[in-house]
Amino acid sequence: LAKTTQPISMDSYEGQEVNITCSHNNIATNDYITWYQQFPSQGPRFIIQGYKTKVTNEVASLFIPADRKSSTLSLPRVSLSDTAVYYCLVGPNSGYSTLTFGKGTMLLVSP
Amino acid sequence: DSGVTQTPKHLITATGQRVTLRCSPRSGDLSVYWYQQSLDQGLQFLIQYYNGEERAKGNILERFSAQQFPDLHSELNLSSLELGDSALYFCASSPRGLDEQFFGPGTRLTVL
């Protein structure tokens, strides 16, 4: 599985847009990029997944450049409840793939 | 609510003991995954079952074992417990052919 690198922590304020970038230089052709969110003492929750270009859903956008060696999770107008750890994962979308979680990015949103 | 249930929520036991954690996947999901999360190790994949068969193994100790039953619920057995086994244990399930995993609320294990 491709190794990922993301910032350990980020700070933001309510109402701002937050962009968390993940590096995955060794991404394979059949790998997808997936982001999960985890609140303290809760299980991770799927946010978004993409393969290339841009993917948007009701909570976030995922930007993937043409070389796919990095990706950026964009959270529009964050609120205090977005304070959590965000994990970037890269791997095949086979349905049988395992997830390798790194340390994640601890996002702290302040008033 | 992800639809994945785990019991018990909390478990306190002593070193050397054996415990069983239980997981019921979302209705229709054939894959079950077990993860361990501790403060120093982060979230680590332990093992995956698909429709009753072991599919993948991660960093699972020999003292740990798991199985998935015909009704698709799964159990994780932890034996000869050590202080270092204290952690949150998560179960996740996924539908066949899709990568999104749905995590349960976890079981917090404390070994004294």
Side-chain angles (χ1 to χ4, degrees):
Chain A
L1 294 174
K3 182 179 176 181
T4 60
T5 303
Q6 49 184 126
I8 294 175
S9 64
M10 293 183 68
D11 295 322
S12 183
Y13 294 96
E14 281 189 294
Q16 290 191 333
E17 178 185 72
V18 171
N19 295 309
I20 305 174
T21 297
C22 179
S23 297
H24 28 80
N25 292 317
N26 297 322
I27 189 168
T29 303
N30 60 341
D31 283 346
Y32 283 71
I33 300 150
T34 310
W35 287 81
Y36 280 77
Q37 173 194 57
Q38 186 179 27
F39 299 112
S41 297
Q42 293 186 28
R45 185 176 70 103
F46 173 91
I47 301 176
I48 198 166
Q49 183 182 77
Y51 183 80
K52 61 180 180 180
T53 62
K54 176 184 173 182
V55 179
T56 298
N57 61 24
E58 63 276 7
V59 298
S61 294
L62 179 59
F63 299 92
I64 306 168
D67 66 4
R68 304 201 325 125
K69 293 184 183 299
S70 67
S71 59
T72 299
L73 174 72
S74 181
L75 305 172
R77 298 180 297 282
V78 294
S79 63
L80 297 178
S81 63
D82 291 316
T83 294
V85 178
Y86 292 82
Y87 296 96
C88 165
L89 298 100
V90 174
N93 185 13
S94 68
Y96 313 121
S97 61
T98 61
L99 294 182
T100 300
F101 287 82
K103 297 295 185 183
T105 297
M106 175 64 220
L107 172 65
L108 177 61
V109 180
S110 301
Chain B
D1 184 357
S2 67
V4 177
T5 60
Q6 290 186 247
T7 56
K9 286 191 70 173
H10 302 277
L11 198 49
I12 301 175
T13 187
T15 54
Q17 296 297 306
R18 172 189 169 95
V19 298
T20 297
L21 312 183
R22 182 188 169 100
C23 168
S24 293
R26 295 187 327 153
S27 177
D29 284 359
L30 299 179
S31 268
V32 169
Y33 309 77
W34 286 98
Y35 294 86
Q36 178 193 58
Q37 187 170 38
S38 59
L39 284 175
D40 55 343
Q41 292 292 327
L43 194 60
Q44 292 206 79
F45 165 72
L46 295 177
I47 197 165
Q48 177 203 2
Y49 279 83
Y50 176 77
N51 203 21
E53 294 191 3
E54 182 183 303
R55 177 70 67 171
K57 254 184 176 178
N59 300 320
I60 188 166
L61 300 172
E62 285 192 13
R63 300 183 285 109
F64 296 0
S65 64
Q67 55 183 327
Q68 187 180 26
F69 295 87
D71 66 353
L72 300 178
H73 90 272
S74 177
E75 292 181 355
L76 178 67
N77 300 296
L78 314 176
S79 62
S80 302
L81 285 168
E82 303 175 358
L83 296 177
D85 297 327
S86 296
L88 260 173
Y89 290 84
F90 290 106
C91 167
S93 73
S94 69
R96 180 179 179 179
L98 296 177
D99 194 48
E100 178 180 350
Q101 293 187 15
F102 297 84
F103 283 77
T107 292
R108 183 173 293 281
L109 172 67
T110 302
V111 182
L112 300 176

